[in-house]
Amino acid sequence: MTTDLTANHETIVLLLRRIHFFDGLKFEELERLATLVSILSVESGEVIISSGEPPEAFYIIERGRVEIVRDTSAGSEVVATLGRSGDFFGEMALIESRPRSSTVRALTPCELLVISRPDFDELIREHPSIHFEVTRALSHNLRRSDTRFAEKILEKNRQLAQALADLKAAQEQLLQQERLSLVGRLASGIIHDLKKPLTCISGYAQLLAGDALAAEKRRRYADTIVREVQRLVDMANEILRFSKGERDIHMRRVNLADWLREVEEFLGRDFEGSGVRFQTHVEYDGPVFFDPDKFKNVFYNLAANATAAMPEGGTFAFSCRRQGRLLCLEFRDTGTGMTPEVAARVFDDFFSQRQDGTGLGMAIVKRTVEAHGGSIEVASELGRGSRFTIHLPLESS
């Protein structure tokens, strides 16, 4: 960056005549102004003004191009590019007597006319017409900057709208992939679950076809087939309940003792041959208010979860008691237990530790309990089993 304070006087006068807001000056006034001007030569890439520095001069472009850069929260942004002879910059800080708000950098080699701050102030005082012309040119630049800013905002809005459209399309694609993934996982689990009862039904049906089969065995095989068919029905209902979000709750007053007898009878048959002992401890067997069919499914799912955790057999214990206006149901098993990480996810949709599980049973349990205005908690320890505790309102709210 080179300043020529001894530039040819006539050359400067000629340059000043080309600046439009000096058009109203007389020749002798231009002569006077020329004595205040120095010529600054700037190489491409050089910084002419730095943001934050005090305002010391006013610049007029004679030749070359510059860019004005402002720091924003998003980083540095080019707010204007000047390159016409007569374009000027640096005047705002002089007028406001405030530090520079932008950085000005040369894009090409430049020749600039420089008027120092004291000379600029004196020039404005002596020639109000120059003040008017500078103000008018400044207003024009501001309008042009506003136009560029508005165009940038519109372009940013177009880019944002396109980005949102692309994001929405990507989201839809991801959701579709997730739906397909969930369907695949659900189908895989269902197929695995179907294999066992279907194989059992097929085997016992073939045995029933034998002519020499004793009546007692025929009854036992038929009961087994009926039980496995019921298992298939329960699986289908489980999937339907999941798809409905367990919203079809039909609550009514139920005698707990009668309801528990039905549950015990079913589970007694279900536990046959599994090595699992079913124990009950009932302190309260009075009236309760819930959907009996839905809560049978809660009981069956918790029992199935316990049975899966006790492949070598064990104890599944159920107890119920009254706690003020709440009914407390507790289910314990002596199975393998769960890590804290698994226990935290046990109620998640499609989460299962069994390779042949749908991962829906415990999720449906939680939804059913919460649909009744209740809560369910799990406590588990590896090697020592698990405990599920349900609290339900005894009366309708």
Side-chain angles (χ1 to χ4, degrees):
M1 189 180 299
T2 305
T3 303
D4 184 1
L5 299 175
T6 62
N8 184 278
H9 185 77
E10 282 118 14
T11 300
I12 292 179
V13 171
L14 289 173
L15 291 176
L16 292 174
R17 280 190 177 279
R18 292 164 56 186
I19 310 303
H20 67 91
F21 51 76
F22 294 145
D23 286 345
L25 294 182
K26 299 176 182 178
F27 180 77
E28 57 270 21
E29 291 174 332
L30 285 175
E31 289 269 328
R32 166 81 173 84
L33 179 58
T35 64
L36 306 178
V37 174
S38 60
I39 297 179
L40 180 67
S41 298
V42 181
E43 296 298 323
S44 177
E46 285 192 70
V47 173
I48 304 165
I49 291 176
S50 295
S51 177
E53 69 181 13
E56 299 295 345
F58 169 55
Y59 300 84
I60 303 170
I61 296 176
E62 194 282 318
R63 177 178 61 83
R65 293 176 65 243
V66 301
E67 65 177 5
I68 301 175
V69 181
R70 180 163 295 175
D71 293 332
T72 67
S73 58
S76 297
E77 182 178 355
V78 177
V79 295
T81 301
L82 306 177
R84 294 183 304 179
S85 180
D87 283 346
F88 59 91
F89 56 89
E91 78 294 337
M92 186 66 76
L94 293 182
I95 294 172
E96 296 181 334
S97 295
R98 297 175 61 181
R100 304 290 192 185
S101 61
S102 303
T103 296
V104 181
R105 183 181 295 106
L107 294 175
T108 65
C110 296
E111 294 289 333
L112 307 173
L113 303 186
V114 184
I115 304 175
S116 69
R117 179 174 183 174
D119 292 337
F120 180 79
D121 292 340
E122 182 180 350
L123 182 66
I124 294 300
R125 283 195 302 271
E126 291 180 359
H127 302 284
S129 62
I130 294 178
H131 184 277
F132 173 75
E133 291 296 336
V134 170
T135 302
R136 189 170 68 173
L138 177 59
S139 175
H140 172 74
N141 286 347
L142 288 174
R143 284 199 303 270
R144 191 167 59 182
S145 296
D146 287 345
T147 300
R148 285 196 297 267
F149 181 72
E151 289 173 350
K152 283 186 177 181
I153 290 295
L154 290 173
E155 179 59 27
K156 295 283 187 184
N157 285 341
R158 283 192 291 269
Q159 293 174 359
L160 180 59
Q162 185 59 49
L164 288 174
D166 293 343
L167 181 61
K168 186 176 181 180
Q171 185 182 35
E172 287 296 328
Q173 186 177 5
L174 287 173
L175 287 173
Q176 180 65 18
Q177 291 174 351
E178 180 63 17
R179 291 188 194 102
L180 291 174
S181 175
L182 291 179
V183 169
R185 288 159 57 191
L186 177 59
S188 177
I190 292 171
I191 290 169
H192 280 293
D193 277 0
L194 287 174
K195 283 182 179 179
K196 183 179 177 181
L198 287 175
T199 301
C200 183
I201 291 170
S202 175
Y204 280 101
Q206 293 177 41
L207 290 174
L208 282 174
D211 295 333
L213 193 64
E216 182 183 348
K217 284 188 176 181
R218 189 181 297 276
R219 266 194 317 273
R220 192 166 71 248
Y221 294 165
D223 287 344
T224 301
I225 290 174
V226 170
R227 189 164 62 248
E228 294 302 321
V229 169
Q230 183 60 49
R231 190 190 301 272
L232 290 174
V233 172
D234 290 342
M235 286 171 56
N237 288 334
E238 182 176 276
I239 295 166
L240 289 174
R241 281 189 290 272
F242 176 78
S243 66
K244 294 177 182 178
E246 282 297 336
R247 294 185 180 89
D248 53 339
I249 301 296
H250 305 290
M251 298 177 68
R252 59 186 175 87
R253 188 176 295 276
V254 176
N255 184 284
L256 188 59
D258 294 339
W259 181 81
L260 283 173
R261 273 193 294 272
E262 294 180 16
V263 172
E264 286 184 54
E265 182 180 352
F266 182 87
L267 288 181
R269 294 196 306 267
D270 207 46
F271 284 143
E272 283 182 7
S274 66
V276 175
R277 297 181 301 279
F278 181 36
Q279 297 179 351
T280 60
H281 180 69
V282 179
E283 296 181 15
Y284 175 82
D285 60 0
V288 295
F289 197 81
F290 62 20
D291 185 322
D293 294 328
K294 294 294 188 297
F295 249 87
K296 279 182 183 178
N297 188 66
V298 167
F299 215 121
Y300 300 157
N301 272 315
L302 288 168
N305 199 63
T307 303
M310 298 182 289
E312 306 300 324
T315 301
F316 177 60
F318 166 74
S319 66
C320 69
R321 61 186 182 277
R322 180 169 183 164
Q323 291 182 340
R325 301 178 65 180
L326 296 176
L327 178 67
C328 178
L329 308 175
E330 195 170 86
F331 305 81
R332 292 176 178 265
D333 66 63
T334 58
T336 54
M338 295 177 281
T339 65
E341 293 77 16
V342 171
R345 297 189 58 197
V346 72
F347 297 115
D348 289 353
D349 295 343
F350 300 104
F351 177 76
S352 176
Q353 288 184 282
R354 296 157 48 198
Q355 291 185 349
D356 61 347
T358 63
L360 297 179
M362 299 308 293
I364 291 173
V365 165
K366 187 172 188 292
R367 292 184 187 186
T368 302
V369 170
E370 291 177 348
H372 282 76
S375 64
I376 183 169
E377 300 172 351
V378 59
S380 187
E381 186 178 345
L382 278 177
R384 305 198 62 173
S386 302
R387 180 180 75 250
F388 291 88
T389 305
I390 296 174
H391 288 96
L392 288 176
L394 277 169
E395 298 293 335
S396 174
S397 57

